[in-house]
Amino acid sequence: MSVRNLLDTAFAQLAAPGTRDGGLTVTALGSGAWKEFLLGPGAGPGRSGSWDEQLAVLWKRVVAECGEALRLADEHDIDWELLPHESRLVLALSGPDSVVVDVAAAALATQREQWELEQRFARIHRRLPSGLSGLVPADVGALRSGLLDEHDFRTSTYAVERDRAVRWLRALTSTAAYLAAAHMVPAPLALDVVTTAPLDEPTRAALRLPAPWSLITHDAVPLRAAQADDDELAALVEAGMCVGPEPVILGGLLAAQPDGRLDTTSGFLLISCLDAAGIRCQVLQPAAYGDHAGGRVLYGYAAQLAFARWTPPPVLPDPGPRPTSRSTLGRIATSEAGQAGGFHGIRVLDFTPPPEEPPEERPAPAGSRGPLAFGTWRRAHWKPGVRIGIRDGDGRLIGPVYKDGAVEGLTFGRERRFFPRARIRPDLPLAPTTAVYKLSNSGAPQGR
């Protein structure tokens, strides 16, 4: 399925509870709703139907990093760096002796062995759950290998112009996805990571990614949650947000500059939906960084990659003399290390889920108006400057963190910390950036 057809199908679904009128529930691409979600207000199509100049910059980089640029130089005396990447598609080249080189097929071919291995592992491990919930790290191979099919590796004549941009995007994103360090967000945090409140500018400036390319995956989160305002998000949380045929977000692909800083040339969101035949399709779709819905999701991913703690991939048991045989892959798929992502090198977000039972209602302090109540939801957010106690070699706090005697740099330091969504009192605002004040006159109502 082409990117255009996928998006046309995805954004033509019926409205769901909590979805704003005029949002993503449109019947045609002409309204530009999907472009606004992905690229921001006022975004228009490029010459190839997408972000051709920005993607060309990343395409130039991917072909070099996968090793195909070196092969072009060795075998065909073609200098990849001198081609006009920023002005047109570079999908095929005419080399010496009229040899035509399909660059897209050649770039994908560098990852074919890994793709075939992940497909084999996925068939042995399990089929993806229909609702894309309860995913485990070992499912990442099925998600990533599902971006391609056998036809993508074949050379193309590029005779049909409208197919060129689609092939370009699939070759770019899929090759980069296999070059990427893979990460998985545990299911309880998927919604919070996707709907994280906008980052402040100092936090954006401090973003440093752990690898040149990073792939982040998680359980399905409906697109309507990513574009919801605070009240809509609270309503969706209360409704349970069951995933059906509507479009969902399963993760993203992010690039870093050589010094580790976030490369905002373009990011990519892993979007999935059911097509007209009821078959689930997925694509890594270009998205701009910014304050629109898709851009906020990308920044939320970047913050997790930059500031959160990730557990390293577990070590697999000795595969023996036939590491890719069906019996060996079966042993790995059922092993604890294999389930935890060791086969795919998955890093998992370090997260301890809270108790499932809600906290009991606490008695009100003396002189208050009544018992404390839990009202709506405050969305997840990053908070800068949180005091973190400094510990000695045995893990004990060296000194106080907040009380008298607390000394910054000696007894405590400061870090950015992620706070998942939390139930708050109904008289407090949902947005974490909204200041809350208490008037000095105890008889006056509280203000915001």
Side-chain angles (χ1 to χ4, degrees), residues 75-158:
E75 297 185 13
H76 304 289
D77 197 26
I78 296 174
D79 191 334
W80 180 247
E81 295 296 322
L82 297 181
L83 298 178
H85 306 275
E86 287 75 24
S87 61
R88 61 188 175 96
L89 298 178
V90 183
L91 287 170
L93 297 169
S94 179
D97 302 323
S98 300
V99 174
V100 177
V101 181
D102 186 340
V103 180
L108 285 172
T110 64
Q111 310 303 317
R112 177 160 190 156
E113 182 178 354
Q114 185 64 22
W115 173 76
E116 291 176 341
L117 195 56
E118 284 196 337
Q119 281 214 317
R120 291 181 60 200
F121 184 91
R123 287 193 293 267
I124 295 171
H125 174 235
R126 68 168 180 172
R127 296 182 61 182
L128 288 174
S130 58
L132 297 176
S133 61
L135 299 180
V136 298
D139 291 322
V140 172
L143 291 176
R144 182 161 52 185
S145 63
L147 296 170
L148 294 168
D149 56 41
E150 183 66 32
H151 180 76
D152 291 310
F153 294 95
R154 301 171 188 166
T155 57
S156 173
T157 62
Y158 299 103

Side-chain angles (χ1 to χ4, degrees), residues 43 66 285 331:
C66 74
Q285 177 65 20
R331 289 198 303 272

Side-chain angles (χ1 to χ4, degrees), residues 195-197 225 228-230 233 377-381 419-422 430 432:
T195 60
T196 296
D229 62 22
D230 290 337
L233 180 59
W377 291 91
R378 173 171 289 182
R379 76 168 62 222
H381 61 283
F419 292 85
R421 71 183 187 278
L430 183 66

Side-chain angles (χ1 to χ4, degrees), residues 293-323:
R296 292 195 299 270
V297 176
L298 288 174
Y299 272 124
Y301 290 153
Q304 294 292 338
L305 291 168
F307 306 126
R309 289 188 291 270
W310 297 83
T311 59
V315 178
L316 291 175
D318 184 4
R322 301 173 60 199

